[in-house]
Amino acid sequence: MQNWSQRKSVNRALTRKFHAEALVLSSIISISFIACRAQPKVTIETAKGEISFQVEIAGTPEKREVGLMYRRELPSDQGMLFIFPVEKVNSFWMKNTPIPLDMIFISRDRKIVGIVHETVPFSLDGRSVSVPSQYVLEINGGLSRRYGFKAGDVVRFDNVTPESVRE
């Protein structure tokens, strides 16, 4: 039969073990939540259904200037979302960009206003649409046609915050 001192010692050990396991579990949940929540995503609602892309955010002048330059590949479910402080006619070029891209121009109210299909790598020619946009999504060239994106399609942002943009 255990005496009081032995029971107290066992209880302390179990309590310490419980707290350690709870701390580990809490950390795993927190890290998972942050990892899931932190990844920005753009979803385009088409007549055929929703298509989503995990995106990098180009929300500062420096990031917008570099964009996807020097990238030799881009997974088909990923892209870059350019965020501008105000809606305006935006123009892009392909300097130092070795992969063809589709540029999807999106209005302040998150509707596609135009698409530039399959840009020519390394071209210095400006690419734009004549309608103001506040956002531009760059994805692999040809995907816009494959998925049937068109002007008027609604775009949804997940995990994109106002802090993502700086002038």
Side-chain angles (χ1 to χ4, degrees):
M1 183 189 285
Q2 293 180 335
N3 65 29
W4 175 251
S5 154
Q6 289 172 324
R7 281 190 204 166
K8 195 172 178 182
S9 177
V10 168
N11 283 342
R12 271 194 227 132
L14 289 173
T15 301
R16 279 194 296 273
K17 182 179 179 193
F18 173 78
H19 284 288
E21 289 174 353
L23 180 62
V24 168
L25 183 59
S26 174
S27 296
I28 290 170
I29 291 170
S30 295
I31 289 168
S32 297
F33 179 76
I34 289 168
C36 290
R37 180 153 169 71
Q39 183 61 48
K41 183 171 75 170
V42 173
T43 301
I44 300 174
E45 300 172 15
T46 72
K48 297 177 184 177
E50 295 184 345
I51 307 295
S52 295
F53 299 92
Q54 301 293 322
V55 294
E56 295 176 54
I57 302 294
T60 65
E62 298 80 20
K63 287 183 180 180
R64 288 190 295 263
E65 185 177 320
V66 174
L68 291 171
M69 285 184 183
Y70 311 106
R71 307 277 181 99
R72 297 230 169 260
E73 59 185 42
L74 180 66
S76 62
D77 65 342
Q78 295 181 18
M80 181 169 279
L81 180 64
F82 292 77
I83 303 175
F84 296 92
V86 296
E87 194 171 50
K88 64 183 175 96
V89 173
N90 289 294
S91 183
F92 290 75
W93 63 0
M94 296 295 291
K95 180 180 180 180
N96 300 317
T97 307
I99 53 178
L101 300 171
D102 286 352
M103 297 176 181
I104 302 167
F105 293 79
I106 305 163
S107 67
R108 171 181 48 229
D109 63 351
R110 300 200 177 129
K111 291 186 180 170
I112 295 177
V113 294
I115 301 172
V116 173
H117 297 277
E118 300 184 60
T119 58
V120 176
F122 301 107
S123 173
L124 297 180
D125 295 336
R127 298 287 178 238
S128 66
V129 297
S130 60
V131 181
S133 61
Q134 188 161 3
Y135 312 96
V136 178
L137 174 64
E138 289 186 342
I139 58 175
N140 275 310
L143 291 180
S144 293
R145 284 193 176 111
R146 179 189 304 167
Y147 294 129
F149 299 158
K150 63 183 182 338
D153 284 348
V154 174
V155 180
R156 187 176 70 245
F157 299 156
D158 295 307
N159 302 318
V160 177
T161 64
E163 293 79 34
S164 299
V165 63
R166 288 186 304 160
E167 291 186 43

